[in-house]
């Protein structure tokens, strides 16, 4: 995977030419979690096209939580399994409840970048069977939660941010652990494995002025998961 050199963090006096041939920068942001700034930048347009192709078959929808709240982020899924919530609970499902059809196949361009990002973070052989797609419009957010509906807790989760920037929050294994605050921007990829796989996390409301030339005032987040062992 190529890497946008201007997004690299280099020591102030290092020689740019030497540094430019180094592997993509990875920043440790928690125990087992790596931030790969700009890892998906070169492919961003293709990824956005693939999202639209998925959404043409499995429309973005605002799901309802078991507590009766309508989620502010709209969601879709592709791959073998999609994540569904309704009044009865959360679960992974092989069918889209809106169409009663299988979810669209995971576009190869999506799978490929997720597998490459996992490997770049030290998780070789990642085989995602689900890709969840979140769409945030102005004010949309996601409260602090853990991702634990997957059977396979050894596999990492890979997340790709596209479009408008957002403040991402993550804490620790307990809901009350102090949450750190990171800005996630277009093209950023985060790989969550090891202990961080079960850390509480969420995103602050998409800001009124947050936008990106390719998406306008909209942010997409892709998360790749291995659900079945
Ligand atoms: C840390 N999505 O879909 S991505 C989700 O920006 C979700 O749409 C957020 O949380 C979003 O479940 C955050 C970053 C992320 C994703 C999964 C994680 C961080 C994670 C799983 C475990 C720990
Ligand atoms: Fe999550």
């Amino acid at each position: 995977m190529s890497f946008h050199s201007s997004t690299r963090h280099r020591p102030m006096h290092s020689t740019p030419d030497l540094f430019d041939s180094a592997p993509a920068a990875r920043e440790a942001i928690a125990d087992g979690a790596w931030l790969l700034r700009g890892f998906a930048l070169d492919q961003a347009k293709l990824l956005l096209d693939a999202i639209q192709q998925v959404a043409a078959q499995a429309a973005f929808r605002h799901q309802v939580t078991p507590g009766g709240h309508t989620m502010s982020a709209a969601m879709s899924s592709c791959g073998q399994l999609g994540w569904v919530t309704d009044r009865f609970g959360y679960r992974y499902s092989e069918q889209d409840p809106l169409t009663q059809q299988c979810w669209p196949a995971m576009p190869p361009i999506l799978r490929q970048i997720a597998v490459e990002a996992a490997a770049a973070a030290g998780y070789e052989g990642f085989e995602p069977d689900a890709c969840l797609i979140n769409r945030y419009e102005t004010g949309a957010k996601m409260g602090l939660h853990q991702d634990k509906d997957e059977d396979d807790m050894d596999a990492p989760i890979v997340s790709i941010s596209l479009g408008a920037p957002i403040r991402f929050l993550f804490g620790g294994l307990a809901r009350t652990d102090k949450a750190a605050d990171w800005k996630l921007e277009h093209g950023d990829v985060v790989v969550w494995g090891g202990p961080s796989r079960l850390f509480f996390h969420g995103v602050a409301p998409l800001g009124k002025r947050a936008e990106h030339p390719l998406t306008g005032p909209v942010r997409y987040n892709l998360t790749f998961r291995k659900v079945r062992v």
Side-chain angles (χ1 to χ4, degrees):
M1 181 59 51
S2 57
F3 201 89
H4 198 277
S5 58
S6 68
T7 64
R8 278 187 183 154
H9 301 222
R10 62 165 63 96
M12 217 185 311
H13 305 293
S14 71
T15 311
D17 320 63
L18 285 178
F19 201 90
D20 280 344
S21 61
R26 51 175 209 181
E27 196 178 342
I29 63 170
D31 196 358
W34 297 93
L35 171 54
L36 309 172
R37 287 244 184 246
F39 191 88
L41 264 184
D42 294 346
Q43 320 278 57
K45 278 193 177 140
L46 293 171
L47 300 178
L48 287 166
D49 288 346
I51 290 171
Q52 297 316 323
Q53 279 164 30
V54 169
Q57 291 173 258
F60 282 104
R61 79 289 307 261
H62 294 273
Q63 303 195 97
V64 177
T65 65
H69 298 285
T70 300
M71 296 180 73
S72 60
M75 290 188 70
S76 184
S77 291
C78 59
Q80 276 293 114
L81 293 156
W83 187 79
V84 171
T85 175
D86 57 25
R87 288 172 191 283
F88 306 107
Y90 312 112
R91 62 198 171 275
Y92 280 93
S93 169
E94 291 182 6
Q95 274 97 35
D96 178 350
L98 285 185
T99 62
Q100 255 92 299
Q101 304 293 304
C102 292
W103 296 101
M106 197 183 298
I109 177 90
L110 296 191
R111 174 186 301 275
Q112 190 188 337
I113 194 157
V115 170
E116 286 176 6
Y123 301 99
E124 298 285 344
F126 181 46
E127 289 187 37
D129 54 10
C131 171
L132 280 52
I133 311 173
N134 297 329
R135 186 189 68 198
Y136 296 83
E137 295 181 340
T138 307
K141 61 182 173 19
M142 193 172 285
L144 273 190
H145 66 278
Q146 290 173 295
D147 288 20
K148 48 181 188 183
D149 296 328
E150 299 75 27
D151 301 330
D152 190 339
M153 284 297 162
D154 296 329
I157 291 182
V158 175
S159 116
I160 303 179
S161 293
L162 295 168
I166 208 164
R167 273 192 336 141
F168 169 71
L169 310 162
F170 80 98
L173 283 175
R175 182 181 290 279
T176 52
D177 288 348
K178 188 174 147 51
D181 189 323
W182 296 78
K183 188 179 182 189
L184 291 182
E185 294 181 283
H186 182 71
D188 288 348
V189 177
V190 191
V191 182
W192 307 88
S196 75
R197 173 69 181 74
L198 281 169
F199 282 9
F200 276 91
H201 59 278
V203 298
L206 188 69
K208 283 205 172 72
R209 279 170 294 277
E211 57 182 23
H212 187 276
L214 290 178
T215 63
V218 178
R219 170 181 185 259
Y220 295 96
N221 182 261
L222 300 161
T223 48
F224 298 84
R225 296 123 188 279
K226 180 159 166 50
V227 179
R228 303 291 183 231
V229 182

